[in-house]
Amino acid sequence: KAKHKKVSELVEVLQLVDKRGNLVELFPTTPKVSARGIVRCQKRLLKVMQAQKDHGCPIRIIILKARQLGMSTFIGLLFYAMVHEHPNRRAVVCAQDQDATKGLYRRVKRAHEEIEDTRPMENLSGTELCWKLPHSSDYRVMTAGKKDLGRSDTINYLHMSEVGFWPNQSRSLLAAMQTVPDQPDTAIVIESTANGQGDEFHKRWGNSTPLALAEETGIWDGFIGVFFSWLENPEEYTLSIPEHFDWGAVPNEIKEGEARLREMSAELGWNEDTIDRQMYWRRRKIIDACGGSVDSFRQEYPSTPEEAFLLSGRRAIPAQITEHHRESLRPYRLAKLVWDEWTDDGVAMVYAPTDADELARVSEGDYNWHVWEPPHKKHDYAIGGDVAEYKVSDPSDEMSDPDKSCIAVLNRVTMTPAAQWHGRIMPDDLGRELLKAALFYNRGWATPEANAVGQATLIPMLKHEYSICGSRHRGYNRLYQRKRAPDKIRESDSQLYGFKTTSLTRPLLLFSWIAYSSWDLERRWDGKFVCVSEELVDEEEKFVFDKMGKPVHKINCHDDVLFAWMIAMMLHDSQPRTFSSPERGGPSIRPAIYDGGRDVDGMRMLDGTYIGKARVMEVTS
């Protein structure tokens, strides 16, 4: 008989302690009792579970939610009800830490004690409820952390709580999910608040089927993604508004998002009074619990999935910058750079075929350059390179994705990306690609990151021979050189080529990048960096401060593209210019002898003429 029960019927006998400290029924039998029963978010979850069961699918759900909705407690009690009603079943709940694990088990144990169950128990410990034969089902709680979580078990109902905050997310999830057979009478529920982009929870959320799409198409197999906004639960997230409350007496940054939130609440069907009380609760929460930070509130109580992932985690780059950068993305053309000694630069650009069939026939590695603009003859360029060190994206998982190399070409006049190369290549081959880019883009200042294998990337920049208009050349004349304090200079310092990322230079790169990308006091972005690369914004959003305050990429993410662009911006900030920005009155030149640069051609000013071995440019003094 229990086999045919609806999911909602399984929880009718359960009770829990509500947020007021009262023991209440999940489904009150008496109307208008003080207990509110299952709130609409839990009812919506039950509806999704039932839809999957009705279509003969196993329950597979991934939940993205605001905090304090009671989801973990509800799912734990529901899975307890399933093993309570069905013989020979196993339910496992895994939480992010020991405190959460104990809390979930304590609630389930309380529910078990309130039920009149005379069946003999084999085990009633601090982590497990186990019935003796003939029922022989059990309910167990675990703490995340093991790479091979539960690998040897066979589990019927698996609840993974706050996965976004698990260590070893990728391997733990992979191991745990193999324990659940692909049978209709099984369930896997993954739920969490967001913890930034790029982790395993974020990837699995992105790969799930949105609930709206499942309802529209009637296809319910696989993981269904269900988002719960704080706006959906006005019973919990409202406050009574004091008499004579002044709605204008808060900072503008708190008020500026309210219009959109009011529209979303109205779409959910709430009346004006309820919406006002929601907005008042939000203001009090931001001021009292979030220290006045709107971003902190959005992290804990997102109103959309995009907001949850965009604004959660200890972001190193402010969300306002990445939001602005996403608004300026532009399409690129695929191209490759080839040696051509009869051009003015010794290099030519060849664009990939635009026809899809032709493009499919060319080798994938032939056209690795993303090009937004060819070189402008009166613009300066800075070219930064990040060299892959063959490190994996997750130090705890040797099978995680290793890093790549990247070259970034920055237009120093318009402050926009001109081109970008991103892929896996040997360090010396990357040096030749970097050299071609530097020559092609008006002999811009260039440098690779010189850490470890980056020294091999420098070799072609220093020693490679090439031809321009039939004339042979060796090495490159505008190469970044690290500098020391005057009292530390030694003769060997002339060999300090290339940029090194250290514990001192890493934060300097980051905060210089933020300075070149952020708005001024009047919220204007004029003269700032204009992002057009989606790969760059993706890595900006996944760049965070670790627990020691070091800016790093999130686990299972990368920062190759971001560092290439930050190094290019460092070159722009430190190296002399041939052409200034248009608003400064036309071209100008600064001396070529200075700290922090190398010019093997001995470029110098002479009667208003800028002289170099490979090119002569007429400029104003």
Side-chain angles (χ1 to χ4, degrees):
K1 183 178 179 181
K3 182 178 179 181
H4 302 289
K5 282 187 176 182
K6 288 188 176 182
V7 177
S8 59
E9 293 174 345
L10 292 174
V11 295
E12 288 184 357
V13 296
L14 293 178
Q15 297 176 320
L16 80 161
V17 177
D18 67 9
K19 292 183 179 180
R20 294 184 175 87
N22 300 319
L23 183 66
V24 299
E25 296 176 347
L26 286 177
F27 275 111
T29 55
T30 305
K32 298 183 180 180
V33 294
S34 59
R36 292 168 178 165
I38 295 181
V39 296
R40 59 184 46 82
C41 291
Q42 280 83 349
K43 287 181 179 178
R44 190 149 70 92
L45 176 60
L46 286 174
K47 192 174 180 181
V48 177
M49 289 180 167
Q50 192 62 51
Q52 287 195 300
K53 286 178 68 69
D54 291 344
H55 285 79
C57 304
I59 294 173
R60 301 290 186 267
I61 296 174
I62 182 167
I63 298 171
L64 173 63
K65 61 185 180 61
R67 290 199 61 187
Q68 296 296 316
L69 285 177
M71 271 307 157
S72 297
T73 299
F74 174 72
I75 297 166
L77 289 169
L78 177 61
F79 281 10
Y80 166 78
M82 287 178 170
V83 295
H84 181 273
E85 294 293 313
H86 295 80
N88 303 311
R89 297 291 194 274
R90 166 167 285 188
V92 171
V93 177
C94 187
Q96 76 273 22
D97 55 44
Q98 289 187 350
D99 289 341
T101 301
K102 291 177 182 178
L104 290 174
Y105 179 78
R106 187 168 56 249
R107 297 182 187 103
V108 169
K109 186 180 178 184
R110 178 68 179 271
H112 175 75
E113 291 170 348
E114 292 294 329
I115 293 177
E116 295 181 3
D117 189 347
T118 59
R119 293 173 296 187
M121 301 295 294
E122 182 176 305
N123 189 16
L124 188 61
S125 67
T127 60
E128 187 173 14
L129 297 169
C130 182
W131 286 266
K132 290 183 177 180
L133 289 170
H135 189 63
S136 194
S137 287
D138 68 274
Y139 179 96
R140 184 154 53 100
V141 294
M142 301 172 63
T143 301
K146 293 182 179 179
K147 294 180 181 179
D148 297 328
L149 184 66
R151 183 175 289 275
S152 60
D153 289 340
T154 297
I155 300 170
N156 303 97
Y157 313 115
L158 176 63
H159 171 206
M160 293 178 278
S161 177
E162 292 297 346
V163 171
F165 300 87
W166 283 20
N168 304 313
Q169 282 185 37
S170 180
R171 290 189 60 172
S172 295
L173 281 172
L174 179 64
M177 290 177 62
Q178 309 314 308
T179 65
V180 183
D182 294 323
Q183 299 296 321
D185 189 26
T186 61
I188 301 176
V189 178
I190 302 172
E191 54 90 7
S192 185
T193 49
N195 190 23
Q197 297 192 13
D199 61 6
E200 188 66 19
F201 177 71
H202 177 236
K203 291 177 183 178
R204 289 180 181 267
W205 170 262
N207 291 330
S208 65
T209 301
L211 175 58
L213 182 61
E215 292 173 335
E216 180 183 344
T217 62
I219 300 175
W220 290 91
D221 59 332
F223 274 89
I224 306 299
V226 187
F227 172 69
F228 294 111
S229 162
W230 70 275
L231 295 170
E232 295 182 59
N233 194 4
E235 290 87 354
E236 292 293 341
Y237 300 131
T238 53
L239 281 176
S240 298
I241 305 171
E243 190 176 358
H244 308 303
F245 175 68
D246 183 2
W247 286 96
V250 293
N252 288 332
E253 57 265 26
I254 294 180
K255 292 188 296 185
E256 65 183 4
E258 283 187 358
R260 178 182 62 87
L261 294 174
R262 285 179 175 275
E263 292 176 0
M264 294 173 67
S265 286
E267 291 173 0
L268 291 171
W270 311 141
N271 59 37
E272 196 64 33
D273 177 64
T274 299
I275 296 173
D276 283 344
R277 289 186 289 112
Q278 283 182 316
M279 296 305 109
Y280 178 69
W281 174 88
R282 172 181 176 270
R283 291 190 179 192
R284 293 269 32 112
K285 201 72 173 178
I286 292 173
I287 295 170
D288 298 339
C290 301
S293 171
V294 177
D295 282 356
S296 296
F297 175 84
R298 289 173 175 172
Q299 174 179 329
E300 304 294 338
Y301 304 96
S303 57
T304 65
E306 294 76 18
E307 185 177 86
F309 286 113
L310 178 65
L311 294 164
S312 57
R314 296 184 64 212
R315 298 173 59 93
I317 298 175
Q320 292 91 339
I321 290 177
T322 56
E323 286 178 323
H324 180 70
H325 283 177
R326 281 217 173 270
E327 294 171 357
S328 57
L329 299 181
R330 295 206 316 259
Y332 55 81
R333 289 192 63 182
L334 288 173
K336 61 181 176 181
L337 293 175
V338 297
W339 295 109
D340 186 347
E341 64 177 300
W342 300 111
T343 64
D344 290 341
D345 306 297
V347 179
M349 177 174 283
V350 180
Y351 287 102
T354 54
D355 181 81
D357 293 334
E358 291 184 36
L359 184 60
R361 286 193 290 269
V362 301
S363 171
E364 183 180 351
D366 278 351
Y367 300 94
N368 276 342
W369 279 97
H370 293 181
V371 179
W372 290 276
E373 65 174 48
H376 188 287
K377 64 180 181 179
K378 289 190 176 181
H379 285 189
D380 285 319
Y381 294 87
I383 301 95
D386 181 86
V387 187
E389 298 182 31
Y390 306 99
K391 295 179 179 179
V392 293
S393 55
D394 182 355
S396 65
D397 183 2
E398 64 275 10
M399 300 302 293
S400 59
D401 192 39
D403 61 356
K404 298 180 181 179
S405 296
C406 182
I407 301 172
V409 182
L410 172 68
N411 187 323
R412 301 175 68 186
V413 174
T414 62
M415 295 296 287
T416 57
Q420 174 183 293
W421 187 99
H422 190 210
R424 293 189 175 96
I425 194 173
M426 295 302 292
D428 59 325
D429 290 331
L430 183 72
R432 280 181 275 274
E433 205 66 35
L434 184 61
L435 175 58
K436 286 189 288 186
L439 289 168
F440 185 70
Y441 278 93
N442 295 353
R443 293 173 177 80
W445 284 97
T447 185
E449 188 180 26
N451 298 40
V453 295
Q455 294 292 329
T457 304
L458 279 167
I459 294 174
M461 303 290 292
L462 292 165
K463 299 182 178 180
H464 184 82
E465 292 188 0
Y466 52 93
S467 296
I468 298 178
C469 298
S471 174
R472 297 294 293 172
H473 298 264
R474 181 183 178 89
Y476 188 65
N477 65 309
R478 288 181 169 180
L479 185 63
Y480 177 80
Q481 179 178 335
R482 302 189 301 280
K483 57 184 177 180
R484 293 186 186 272
D487 60 338
K488 301 292 185 181
I489 292 176
R490 301 186 299 269
E491 186 176 346
S492 62
D493 287 350
S494 61
Q495 304 300 314
L496 294 175
Y497 303 136
F499 180 83
K500 278 201 172 182
T501 304
T502 67
S503 58
L504 294 177
T505 61
R506 177 180 285 258
L508 288 175
L509 281 179
L510 170 64
F511 291 111
S512 294
W513 179 260
I514 292 173
Y516 272 104
S517 301
S518 59
W519 63 93
D520 61 22
L521 293 177
E522 297 177 351
R523 300 273 175 168
R524 298 181 60 180
W525 299 81
D526 299 344
K528 301 293 185 179
F529 175 72
V530 181
C531 180
V532 298
S533 168
E534 186 170 9
E535 286 182 299
L536 173 56
V537 185
D538 287 343
E539 292 194 0
E540 284 183 312
E541 292 171 343
K542 300 165 189 174
F543 203 59
V544 297
F545 292 111
D546 67 11
K547 60 184 179 181
M548 300 302 294
K550 178 182 177 181
V552 295
H553 64 77
K554 286 181 65 68
I555 299 297
N556 287 316
C557 302
H558 295 285
D559 55 21
D560 323 310
V561 176
L562 176 59
F563 266 90
W565 283 107
M566 289 196 296
I567 291 170
M569 189 65 76
M570 178 277 303
L571 286 172
H572 165 73
D573 193 44
S574 63
Q575 307 311 298
R577 299 278 296 275
T578 302
F579 299 101
S580 68
S581 54
E583 62 270 18
R584 293 182 181 175
S588 63
I589 189 69
R590 284 161 52 184
I593 301 173
Y594 59 96
D595 289 335
R598 166 185 179 271
D599 190 338
V600 297
D601 288 335
M603 292 185 180
R604 54 191 168 84
M605 292 297 300
L606 181 62
D607 299 330
T609 303
Y610 191 43
I611 299 177
K613 182 185 293 186
R615 170 181 293 182
V616 176
M617 281 190 277
E618 297 295 330
V619 299
T620 57
S621 178

